[in-house]
Amino acid sequence: MLGFIVRRVLDAIPTLLVLVTVAFFMIRLAPGGPFDAEKRLPPQVEQNLRAAYHLDEPLPLQFVRYVGNLARGDFGPSFQYRDRTVTELIAIGFPVSFRIGGLALLVALLAGLSLGTVAALRQNGAADHAAMAVAMAGISVPTFVVAPLLVLLFAVTLGWLPAGGLGSGPANLVLPVLTLALPQVAYIARLTRGSLIEVLRSPFIRTARAQGLPLHTILRYHALKPALVPVLSYLGPAAAGLITGSVVVEQIFGLPGLGRYFVTGALNRDYTLVMGIVIFYGALIILCNLVVDLLYGWLDPRAVQR
Amino acid sequence: MSTTPPKTPAATAATTGPRGAAEGGLWADAFGVLRRNRAAMVAAATLALLAVLVVVVPAVSPNAFDRPDWDHISAPPALEGGRLFGTDSLGRDLLTRTFYGGRMSLLVGLVATLVSLVLGITWGAVAGYAGGRVDRVMMRIVDILYALPFMFLVILLMVLFGRNILLIFVAIGAINWLDMARIVRGQTLGLKEREFVEAARAMGVPPGAIIRRHIVPNLLGVVAVYVTLTIPQVILVESFLSFLGLGVQEPMTSWGALVNEGAQELETAPWSLVFPAAFLAVTLLCFNFLGDGLRDALDPRDRSAG
Amino acid sequence: MSQPLLELDDLAVRFATREGPVTALHGLSCTLGEGEILGLVGESGSGKTQAALAILGLLAANGRASGQARFRGRDLIALPPAELQRLRGDRIAMVFQDPMTALNPYLRIGAQMQLALRRHRRVSARAARDACAEMLAAVQVTDPGRRLDMYPHELSGGMRQRVMIATALLCKPDLLIADEPTTALDVTVQAGILRLLAQLRREHGTAILFITHDLGIVAGLCDSMLVLRQGRCVEQGPVAEVLAGPRTDYARELLAAVPRLDQPGPPPVSMAGSAAGPVTGSVTGPVAAAIAGPGRGTGIDTGTGTGTGTGTDPATGADAPVLSARGVSVTFTLPRPHPFAPAPRLQAVVDANLDVRRGETLGIVGESGSGKSTLARAVLRLIPPTAGRVVLLGRSLQGLGAADLRAQRRHAQLVFQDPFAALDPRLTIRDIVAEPLSVFEPSLGRDAVTERVRQALEDVGLDPAAMGRYPHQFSGGQCQRVGIARALVLEPALLVCDEPVSALDVTVQAQVVRLLARVQRERGLAMLFIAHDLAVVRALCHRVLVMYLGRTMESGDAGAIYREPRHPYTRALLQAVPAVDAGAARSWESATAALELPSPLAPPSGCVYRTRCPLATRRCADEVPAPREIAGRLVACHHADDAGLAA
């Protein structure tokens, strides 16, 4: 098991390096710079700015400097928010995104697993068809269509919930979390249904039935773990999906999260901020995959040996 | 771990008498199953109809997709003037724009899927068939790319290099080829171990002919399923970009861009959201239904059950 | 007399399918008394498994059972599901065919067993664990306490099946239903399981419904038997009676189809130039020369006496072998378990030598993991051998470029184990059989190709009219014939058959064996026949080579070896095979070598067989036995002489 963990952690290092390199060079090679904004700066000022941000150095040197700073957790100063470092901005934005994303993941797991299980147990029954119709809608109707409709219904027409903003209470979180969770609910429900049906068909379940075990015992002790494996391996992509989705959701509901910083940063050519967020999210996805791998090792006794 | 495939003597494969009454190959059988799947057939017909409409309607419509009509700004749907879907905030005919946007969305779906198909099949088939170190290195690269927050990189690309249709195709295709490569590689690995491929090798069939005659035709089923499920994803990604204002540029449009505009006028002109959103959702729904149907038809396990 | 334990009365099973209702079992009636063993015999599709599942109420969702199955007078078919559920695993237990998939891979052995026990018995977790360990010990699982904490994949197939049986026995059932419990296992392991079942009945009076396709097992284990064919009972009665005088054609055919160890082998090779016949001629010359091996000195005395062995290079002599292999070894390097570990190496084949002549069949026998298939692929260079020399038709295969090697392939063709997997499902039968022609005779016109395919199909007894069909429209036996036609269409000199009949039903198996024997004889083919079934090998092979853990244990004339095996492993193998004759000595009862196979990654030192060998001594651990010539064959055993005397 220890060897397994060590190997997985070692595997993550080159991935991170590639991520940093790609992000760095893509931005540096792009035409246009952070300071050619609306009003032209005096050449001397721009020169000073470039020197202050080390933009006048050769690229490889900049890269080494950047990676060195990264290793100390320093993402550098933001170009746009001149009085803030990128690290500070991430520290402000991430908790907002994390709260929504984490809640959405929780909702997606709970709802997805339940829907999928019900559908699998009532295969081809009415409950199955209803659950799968919901799931089909979930993967077919984009987040940005669902969000305005939810706003129209719950905020504008019914007036039950606030339409956007962070506000004070948890009421502000309901619509964003729901919107963000919906496609993941759909994927997890479909996945759970498929894998549970498959597992229930497997010979070892027949063995358990031949032992006279009742259905709930079979589900709980024999079927749950194997049926969870595909769902678990989907959690990595799900986390990535939630992160991506948060860009839209934060935009629509006007939430000051990391996704919003990213979009504005990208539009304003705020190199360091954008790069910082890409690397931060990349690291987060790698971390999620790592956790999934470890969970996998715990769930499937055979995985550790491979 | 074992070096030779496990031997399960007797009674594993044998059946008596010719199986399956249908004359013809696996494709014919699969098509027969698919034809009995009503949801999939309706979906296929709808998609075919949509493809025709998307080409024909903008061409024959009396209202050009990009001509503003200052007398009919945000006009509700009406029979008069053929403005069945109403107009947008610039007075442009939404019927024409919806179908024109559909042209773009479907085109992006097809082309980007093609990009991912070519990249993914080549990469996956080569890695799978070559095996050994080549395979390890190639799949390691895919693993690393998997951990990148791709959506963010695409957004970055759009911002940095301008909103270029070609770039959209390539960038979106580049996200999806990873999945395709993994699937194709897995299939190829499996096929390579199959005895009929070994039989061909033992008969002295050269590698190129083996790939052409035995590997690729047996991959097609999986690829077909995957393609029908990738197209909606790609359309979704494009509409997502357009929604953020990073996709196709005015006056061109796509469903995502239309939904974005519509969402902003949700309260005053709901029709400008409803029509494009409905078309987008129905298209995605159809592709997903068709993909599911195709998968069921080509998966022999599901064929025998139920 | 009291009522029987189980009474089936007109039991039928029907499935609702897309093509309409299908009857899998038509009105089966029989009785099973307390402590009796009833053999339910049939080939695939005979409905034997469905009968068992119907009794337990475990039919697939679209299946319906009708008629009666009275267990101690209670009709199980009409019983409410909840009550039947209480009976299952308590009074009636079942053991399934494939222990690889029938145990939950995600649960520890102990957890699975305790779930089953505590469903029916109110006992504490502690007591349940003890009971499980006790039961494991009772079915001769070594180190039961530790096994409880293991996962199924950490156990061998034989151990897993013992765990399955132990779990079934936890509640001391009155009736045990065993569905092909030994089919997925090696013969020596099978012998152990059969012994266990016989003992169970003896000591606990457990009645057993034994489902099998193997008449040998029925003969040795069962009291009465029932033959099923396509869902109908064809014949039933006491085992001795049925086997001695089957009354129906099908039972007769079934019985006749069973390959026997004591049957005469194939007719001797009739070939000019091989004066001494297969017995001596084949053993001494080339094989003895093989001991010398390449690069290990050439001046070694090869003529231990008998042979006409000329001492010439085996590849150039007058009766030169079609295929000749010397010192072939295959070592696989496996992935490292963690980045700092050395890559484990698996020696799949070690220093193998063989010759196959025109008109002669060489059998390679061994249990799973013996390296027999790897050896066959290595001599054809489908797997690159790590060492050794292979000569095909006088041409060394080493150092041949990819294109030259492909050109040589026309002379050596392969027949595979799984008849379905070996045919590309997307090609028609014509295109499959024509494929070798398209490679080697590309100049042939379309009609000429079709004509050749027609001829090849007729040769293997298939109707050429079926040319346009696809493999999935044929049965396993028919597909195997297509595979043979494909192998023969180029008229190769050598045919390599890798377990070609092990996936087929007994009657089909007999047909395919007859077919192979005929084409081999008619065409004077050299044939390499790989099988785990010693009886099938007996029917086809002139000489045999017995492998264990990649090493050759014994090789030589088939008749001599089957009559009088000299290597303790060969003897164990032969003893483990259940004999079909009623009243024949149940040789598996005394079969040795029930112990576990060692890991091929860490084979024992010295003689690899010593951990299971009754004759093993200190010397066997220290010294690798060199093949010696004893009684006209080569034996790699320090104690082969004593073994011969002891037998």
Side-chain angles (χ1 to χ4, degrees), chain A residues 57-82:
Chain A
E57 291 173 2
L59 261 188
L61 194 65
Q62 287 187 40
F63 180 64
V64 171
R65 183 189 300 282
Y66 187 72
V67 172
N69 287 339
L70 264 189
R72 291 194 302 272
D74 178 8
F75 287 92
S78 161
F79 286 149
Q80 195 195 357
Y81 308 86
R82 301 254 162 98

Side-chain angles (χ1 to χ4, degrees), chain A residues 3 6-7 10 203-204 206-207 209-215 217 221-223 225-226 229 299-302 305-306, chain C residues 53 57-58 85 88-89 94 96 101-107 115-116 119-120 151 153 164 167 336-340:
Chain A
V6 169
R7 194 171 48 207
L10 286 181
F204 64 81
R206 195 174 62 177
T207 308
R209 291 180 60 208
Q211 289 163 352
L213 300 185
L215 181 65
T217 310
Y221 293 99
H222 280 286
K225 253 186 169 193
V229 168
L299 203 57
D300 185 351
R302 289 166 303 180
Q305 295 195 328
R306 285 196 288 266
Chain C
L53 294 178
L58 291 178
Q85 202 178 62
R88 280 205 300 259
M94 183 152 178
F96 293 94
T101 57
L103 287 171
N104 190 335
Y106 294 85
L107 275 183
L115 274 175
R119 159 73 173 106
H120 303 288
Y151 288 99
H153 72 272
M164 279 288 292
T167 313
R336 298 158 195 273
H338 62 89
F340 308 111

Side-chain angles (χ1 to χ4, degrees), chain B residues 8 68 83 94 105 166 176 192-193 244 290:
Chain B
T8 321
R83 298 197 184 87
L94 266 176
S105 287
L166 214 70
N176 281 286
K192 199 175 66 168
E193 299 300 316
L244 291 176
L290 186 62

Side-chain angles (χ1 to χ4, degrees), chain C residues 50-304:
Chain C
Q50 298 310 330
L53 294 178
I55 294 170
L56 285 175
L58 291 178
L59 288 173
N62 61 339
R64 284 279 166 279
S66 62
Q68 288 197 333
R70 285 187 298 276
F71 178 73
R72 298 234 149 104
R74 292 164 83 189
D75 180 14
L76 300 176
I77 306 297
L79 216 56
E83 270 182 63
L84 186 57
Q85 202 178 62
R86 272 195 294 279
L87 273 181
R88 280 205 300 259
D90 187 2
R91 303 327 315 145
I92 311 175
M94 183 152 178
V95 174
F96 293 94
Q97 170 173 358
D98 188 357
M100 312 294 269
T101 57
L103 287 171
N104 190 335
Y106 294 85
L107 275 183
R108 293 178 201 276
I109 301 296
Q112 309 195 25
M113 293 184 73
Q114 288 175 44
L115 274 175
L117 176 61
R118 296 181 74 187
R119 159 73 173 106
H120 303 288
R121 300 282 180 274
R122 291 194 170 276
V123 287
S124 69
R126 186 70 249 168
R129 192 183 158 87
D130 291 345
C132 293
E134 212 171 287
M135 190 51 80
L136 282 183
V139 298
Q140 291 138 39
V141 170
T142 50
D143 204 358
R146 210 166 51 84
R147 304 277 184 189
L148 286 176
D149 293 323
M150 292 174 115
Y151 288 99
H153 72 272
E154 297 172 286
L155 304 179
S156 69
M159 274 299 152
R160 266 183 277 216
Q161 198 56 290
R162 281 170 195 270
V163 168
M164 279 288 292
I165 293 173
T167 313
L169 297 179
L170 277 173
C171 295
K172 310 258 180 318
D174 305 311
L175 171 62
L176 180 69
I177 301 179
D179 184 5
E180 303 255 15
T182 59
T183 305
L185 306 176
D186 282 321
V187 260
T188 54
V189 182
Q190 164 174 292
I193 299 285
L194 294 179
R195 251 199 325 269
L196 180 67
L197 290 175
Q199 181 194 346
L200 190 71
R201 187 261 293 267
R202 227 173 18 245
E203 291 173 8
H204 301 282
T206 312
I208 302 176
L209 181 60
F210 196 99
I211 299 168
T212 183
H213 68 280
D214 189 334
L215 282 172
I217 296 177
V218 173
L221 186 71
C222 302
D223 307 307
S224 54
M225 64 186 283
L226 193 151
V227 181
L228 279 176
R229 185 195 192 192
Q230 287 164 21
R232 289 174 205 280
C233 173
V234 177
E235 187 156 350
Q236 69 185 102
V239 168
E241 254 172 53
V242 175
L243 291 184
R247 289 186 305 270
T248 56
D249 286 344
Y250 179 68
R252 260 193 294 278
E253 187 193 342
L254 204 58
L255 198 57
V258 177
R260 289 153 195 260
L261 284 178
D262 55 357
Q263 72 203 334
V269 182
S270 54
M271 249 186 55
S274 163
V279 178
T280 48
S282 50
V283 173
T284 49
V287 181
I291 307 169
R296 213 173 303 162
T298 45
I300 287 181
D301 174 26
T302 54
T304 344

Side-chain angles (χ1 to χ4, degrees), chain C residues 288-468:
Chain C
I291 307 169
R296 213 173 303 162
T298 45
I300 287 181
D301 174 26
T302 54
T304 344
T306 49
T308 55
T310 51
T312 54
D313 184 343
T316 55
D319 57 342
V322 172
L323 176 79
S324 166
R326 292 291 172 272
V328 171
S329 296
V330 181
T331 305
F332 295 108
T333 308
L334 304 176
R336 298 158 195 273
H338 62 89
F340 308 111
R345 290 157 67 80
L346 182 112
Q347 291 189 298
V349 176
V350 181
D351 197 21
N353 301 301
L354 57 87
D355 286 279
V356 198
R357 283 151 203 284
R358 228 180 97 71
E360 177 190 73
T361 304
L362 170 66
I364 303 182
V365 212
E367 296 178 287
S368 48
S370 64
K372 54 192 189 300
S373 290
T374 308
L375 173 59
R377 282 162 173 72
V379 297
L380 292 181
R381 275 200 47 187
L382 285 170
I383 295 174
T386 22
R389 194 162 60 97
V390 179
V391 176
L392 177 65
L393 291 174
R395 234 183 126 178
S396 171
L397 293 187
Q398 265 138 320
L400 285 188
D404 288 337
L405 185 65
R406 277 202 298 275
Q408 284 297 301
R409 297 219 181 277
R410 77 167 300 164
H411 305 300
Q413 295 286 313
L414 240 124
V415 176
F416 293 85
Q417 173 178 20
D418 182 340
F420 293 110
L423 308 180
D424 190 334
R426 304 207 180 268
L427 296 182
T428 61
I429 299 303
R430 178 198 174 275
D431 289 347
I432 287 169
V433 178
E435 182 156 31
L437 293 173
S438 72
V439 177
F440 290 104
E441 296 176 31
S443 57
L444 279 184
R446 221 192 134 66
D447 292 342
V449 169
T450 305
E451 187 45 43
R452 290 277 289 273
V453 171
R454 175 187 309 280
Q455 190 59 48
L457 289 177
E458 269 170 9
D459 282 353
V460 298
L462 281 178
D463 181 2
M467 235 188 253

